[in-house]
């Protein structure tokens, strides 16, 4: 339910320990916009869990076979500050009890500026054999009355350190017409389950 300030009353992240009969809100560590009643990162789009983040993971690259998984990554619209957007990628290392931003993507261009461009994060994929490696797909947003051709860097980004830093991995993906920096929207990603060198992306 929306609050009087226009913000939802919670972060949009929930957890159930009884098969969905009951749900608890998870928002500890997320930013609270001015006037909002609770932490808020706007629309939460995707969640992935580190398959080896149980208390006692097996040796090698095998996934956990028992115990709850503790490391979770999520993509969201994020929190818009005074000059840029943060918390588009968030991470919990304690099964959702607390969250922090791992948003090291190119700095968002705020909607309040004349260029009217921003970068949204949609899909996230985790390497099942090497969970420190993650990929995200992005979608640029811009005001067509202000920007004829987008210039913001977009496409696919990769992290090899659990989301601490991100580098572009968009070579070969199509660009927006007339742009040399803005790739088409990437709405889905998938990694081959046994060959992490194979990654699929849908671009529109």
């Amino acid at each position: 339910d929306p609050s009087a300030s226009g913000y939802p009353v919670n972060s949009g992240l929930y957890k159930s320990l009884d098969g969905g009969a009951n749900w608890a809100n998870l928002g500890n560590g997320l930013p609270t916009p001015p006037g909002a009643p609770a932490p808020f990162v706007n629309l939460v789009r995707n969640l992935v869990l580190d398959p080896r983040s149980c208390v006692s993971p097996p040796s090698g690259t095998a996934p956990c076979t028992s115990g709850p998984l503790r490391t979770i990554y999520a993509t969201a619209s994020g929190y818009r500050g005074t000059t840029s957007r943060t918390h588009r990628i968030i991470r919990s290392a304690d099964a959702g009890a607390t969250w922090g931003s791992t948003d090291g993507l190119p700095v968002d261009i705020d909607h309040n500026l004349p260029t009217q461009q921003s970068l949204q994060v949609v899909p996230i994929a985790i390497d099942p054999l090497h969970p420190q490696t993650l990929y995200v797909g992005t979608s640029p947003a811009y005001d067509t009355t202000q920007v004829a051709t987008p210039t913001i860097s977009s496409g696919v980004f990769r992290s090899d350190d659990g989301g601490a830093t991100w580098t572009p991995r968009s070579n070969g993906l199509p660009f927006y017409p007339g742009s040399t920096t803005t790739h088409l929207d990437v709405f889905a990603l998938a990694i081959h389950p046994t060959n992490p060198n194979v990654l699929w992306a849908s671009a529109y």
Side-chain angles (χ1 to χ4, degrees):
D1 296 331
S3 69
S5 66
Y7 288 99
V9 297
N10 51 49
S11 67
L13 289 158
Y14 295 85
K15 179 178 180 178
S16 174
L17 296 174
D18 52 16
N22 296 282
W23 294 87
N25 177 55
L26 306 175
N28 189 21
L30 298 180
T32 301
F40 181 54
V41 288
N42 213 308
L43 178 65
V44 178
R45 294 186 173 91
N46 281 283
L47 291 165
V48 294
L49 285 83
D50 181 342
R52 299 192 70 253
S53 61
C54 54
V55 175
S56 300
S59 61
T61 57
C64 298
T65 56
S66 63
L69 300 179
R70 298 175 299 165
T71 301
I72 311 165
Y73 298 89
T75 62
S77 299
Y79 170 68
R80 191 175 74 189
T82 56
T83 58
S84 64
R85 192 180 299 271
T86 65
H87 292 77
R88 291 168 295 182
I89 309 170
I90 55 177
R91 176 181 182 268
S92 173
D94 50 19
T98 58
W99 295 86
S101 178
T102 58
D103 189 346
L105 296 174
V107 174
D108 189 52
I109 304 174
D110 192 79
H111 285 283
N112 294 326
L113 300 179
T115 46
Q116 297 281 308
Q117 298 184 78
S118 63
L119 190 65
Q120 303 177 68
V121 185
V122 183
I124 184 169
I126 188 168
D127 185 330
L129 303 181
H130 309 95
Q132 287 291 101
T133 298
L134 302 118
Y135 298 87
V136 294
T138 62
S139 172
Y142 60 99
D143 185 344
T144 56
T145 66
Q146 302 291 325
V147 180
T149 302
T151 58
I152 194 169
S153 178
S154 69
V156 173
F157 294 84
R158 170 175 166 163
S159 174
D160 291 308
D161 50 18
T165 59
W166 297 86
T167 55
R169 287 292 187 273
S170 302
N171 189 27
L173 292 179
F175 290 102
Y176 268 79
S179 180
T180 60
T181 53
T182 306
H183 294 272
L184 295 183
D185 302 348
V186 177
F187 287 136
L189 291 170
I191 299 178
H192 194 285
T194 59
N195 183 0
N197 289 323
V198 178
L199 178 72
W200 291 274
S202 70
Y204 174 77

